[in-house]
Amino acid sequence: MTLWRWQELLTALDLTIPENGPDIQGVSIDSRSLQTGDLFIALSGDPGPGFHTSSENSRNGHSFLGAAEIAGAGALLVSEATDVPLPALTVPDTLKGLWQLGQASRKRMNGRVAAITGSAGKTTARYWLEEILRDQASTHASTGSYNNHWGVPLSLARMPTTTEYGIFEIGMNQTGEIQPLSELVRPDVAMILNVLPAHIGNLGSIEAIRTEKLSIQYGLLPDGILLVPYDLADFVNDRQSVTFGFDERADIWAEHSGSTALIHIEDREFPLALSVSGEHRLMTALAVLAIAHTLSADMEAGIAVIQKLGTPPGRGNHIHVAGRTIVDDSYNANPVSMEFALKALGKHPAMRRIALLGEMLELGPESEGMHKNIAGVCTNVDLVMTFGPGFTNVSDAFGSCFQGHLNSVDEFDLSSFAGQTREGDVILVKGSNKVFWSRDFVDYLVSAIARL
């Protein structure tokens, strides 16, 4: 199916190239995953002064134009001259060009759009909402964790014109990043899932994080609705808002016990029983159902779907191998999400409960104290190993369950560890992205155990 007509691309990019070009089937910024007929956008890797990136920014997409041609690209979006014999759209700044495509895609879409932000759980919320809505109408959503300065416009640029529901995840790691992304998305509904001390080292205080999250409201359409946890209600000004939470004073609230709940929406009640554990998962489900209700989706059908769902990879999903269970929560971590994960581990039926904990990054001057506090949540954990400099000086706080500390997972003897595990063990892997996820640690751990 054609995603972009050539003339639509020219209009979106303010170009007046006279010759005709091909229709485009998709949009890509990575030659390795590019599909035949895609427009390949050669990004420089530098987000400019308005955004920040923790990923490598020295790579220039123009170095991969040949690879894009081999992969089957239909056309190129470039800011440099090229000898690659493909139709090329030349602009001064390809990142700006990507934003222009995202903006044009949003303008031509006549459905309803939801934007989701929060300190933890955004991807799970987006995934659950997508699964609910796709059963009811044509739905497009961001993939993976495409929630930054290139992920949001790329997700928008990939949205088909026939989309009835659009769902976009919006993230940040510095002040001033959420508002422009929300203004690009122009949501009908914007939801703040939670405000936790993630990136507090960059923003300085929980108050600054809250202010940044609340800036998502500035992108809302004039009649748009802001969804917030009940404890944020006092911080919302001059904006139509709906609150959710476990407090019966919230507009949408839930009585809960374990992973089951009775959800109250207006004068209706809906029973809910999740397949995943943890109070934080139940809160995420409540928030997702609040969005679905605000979008006028079928609630009974939505609950039937969400009750069957797990979590995306790296966000607490369970992997069963050789009689062991690995709880893969390796995608990221902050003090509150790590506490949630450890409390859930402590309630998990198991022969032994083992926690492999990676340091939590971007916590600033409070880092050592926040890492030390994690030890107090490990009361029902049998064995703990820690990784990364953040945990270096706090090993004594863990007591008898502590099994050792390493500065990096690269020093960890996976084969030896796997050999010491037993059938019935539950192993939690939780840490900031760079500790485990970016090294494919869980994949290697699964392989090591499978060889036993």
Side-chain angles (χ1 to χ4, degrees):
M1 182 182 295
T2 296
L3 180 64
W4 289 93
R5 302 289 183 188
W6 187 255
Q7 187 56 51
E8 289 179 314
L9 293 175
L10 298 181
T11 301
L13 297 167
D14 295 323
L15 296 176
T16 56
I17 301 173
E19 63 266 22
N20 292 326
D23 292 337
I24 294 301
Q25 312 306 310
V27 179
S28 175
I29 62 172
D30 189 337
S31 61
R32 295 167 297 183
S33 57
L34 182 147
Q35 302 294 309
T36 301
D38 281 359
L39 172 70
F40 177 69
I41 301 178
L43 297 181
S44 69
D46 182 359
F51 293 91
H52 299 79
T53 179
S54 58
S55 60
E56 181 182 359
N57 62 11
S58 60
R59 305 181 83 179
N60 189 327
H62 294 84
S63 301
F64 301 92
L65 298 180
E69 179 191 11
I70 294 171
L76 308 172
L77 179 62
V78 297
S79 60
E80 302 175 9
T82 175
D83 294 329
V84 175
L86 287 174
L89 301 163
T90 303
V91 295
D93 183 337
T94 51
L95 179 59
K96 180 181 178 182
L98 175 59
W99 276 63
Q100 288 175 293
L101 292 182
Q103 184 178 50
S105 180
R106 178 66 181 94
K107 285 182 178 178
R108 69 181 186 172
M109 182 263 201
N110 295 318
R112 304 194 71 195
V113 169
I116 298 171
T117 194
S119 299
K122 296 184 294 297
T123 300
T124 298
R126 185 265 304 154
Y127 166 63
W128 283 354
L129 183 60
E130 179 186 6
E131 292 299 304
I132 287 175
L133 296 180
R134 71 188 307 170
D135 272 5
Q136 303 185 29
S138 173
T139 300
H140 172 80
S142 50
T143 58
S145 290
Y146 283 12
N147 60 26
N148 64 358
H149 60 279
W150 58 261
V152 174
L154 179 62
S155 297
L156 278 165
R158 289 172 167 175
M159 180 167 60
T161 57
T162 55
T163 299
E164 296 174 73
Y165 287 123
I167 310 165
F168 300 93
E169 183 181 331
I170 296 179
M172 64 89 190
N173 59 21
Q174 299 281 349
T175 299
E177 296 186 333
I178 287 181
Q179 181 173 340
L181 292 172
S182 181
E183 290 172 345
L184 182 67
V185 171
R186 295 172 56 241
D188 297 275
V189 178
M191 189 265 282
I192 301 171
L193 181 58
N194 46 45
V195 174
L196 307 174
H199 312 299
I200 196 168
N202 293 342
L203 279 83
S205 68
I206 198 72
E207 291 77 17
I209 295 171
R210 181 178 62 229
T211 298
E212 179 66 16
K213 298 297 183 187
L214 283 165
S215 70
I216 196 173
Q217 66 187 300
Y218 301 122
L220 278 164
L221 294 176
D223 58 349
I225 296 173
L226 179 66
L227 285 170
V228 297
Y230 180 73
D231 60 6
L232 290 186
D234 291 341
F235 299 98
V236 178
N237 299 315
D238 303 321
R239 166 63 63 185
Q240 184 179 2
S241 62
V242 173
T243 59
F244 61 89
F246 296 142
D247 191 309
E248 64 182 23
R249 292 171 293 179
D251 297 313
I252 298 173
W253 66 284
E255 303 172 71
H256 71 287
S257 176
S259 297
T260 63
L262 184 65
I263 296 175
H264 300 263
I265 300 179
E266 297 176 348
D267 59 348
R268 305 178 68 189
E269 295 179 346
F270 302 91
L272 172 69
L274 293 180
S275 64
V276 293
S277 61
E279 185 177 284
H280 58 304
R281 303 295 184 201
L282 199 55
M283 181 65 82
T284 299
L286 179 62
V288 166
L289 291 170
I291 300 177
H293 171 72
T294 306
L295 292 173
S296 303
D298 185 309
M299 294 304 294
E300 286 90 350
I303 287 174
V305 169
I306 203 169
Q307 290 185 142
K308 301 175 183 177
L309 298 176
T311 54
R315 279 84 171 182
N317 54 301
H318 290 192
I319 302 170
H320 303 286
V321 55
R324 287 84 164 160
T325 298
I326 298 172
V327 182
D328 180 8
D329 210 343
S330 63
Y331 183 77
N332 221 337
N334 62 56
V336 177
S337 69
M338 186 168 281
E339 180 178 336
F340 284 149
L342 285 165
K343 285 183 176 179
L345 175 66
K347 296 176 181 179
H348 202 298
M351 291 293 294
R352 294 184 304 173
R353 301 178 182 95
I354 302 171
L356 305 181
L357 304 180
E359 66 174 329
M360 302 170 290
L361 302 175
E362 300 181 357
L363 296 181
E366 303 301 319
S367 178
E368 183 171 329
M370 289 180 173
H371 281 87
K372 187 174 183 178
N373 289 341
I374 293 300
V377 193
C378 294
T379 52
N380 290 325
V381 179
D382 299 294
L383 304 173
V384 175
M385 288 198 66
T386 58
F387 301 83
F391 277 115
T392 298
N393 298 320
V394 301
S395 58
D396 291 345
F398 285 94
S400 60
C401 69
F402 187 70
Q403 297 297 298
H405 171 80
L406 296 172
N407 280 328
S408 170
V409 297
D410 295 335
E411 303 171 14
F412 188 44
D413 189 337
L414 265 175
S415 296
S416 176
F417 171 77
Q420 296 171 34
T421 62
R422 309 169 188 167
E423 290 191 13
D425 284 350
V426 176
I427 306 162
L428 169 68
V429 183
K430 178 73 173 174
S432 282
N433 189 286
K434 289 183 178 179
V435 182
F436 297 120
W437 180 265
S438 65
R439 290 177 164 86
D440 297 322
F441 177 84
V442 170
D443 290 342
Y444 289 118
L445 177 58
V446 170
S447 298
I449 292 176
R451 289 193 296 268
L452 295 176

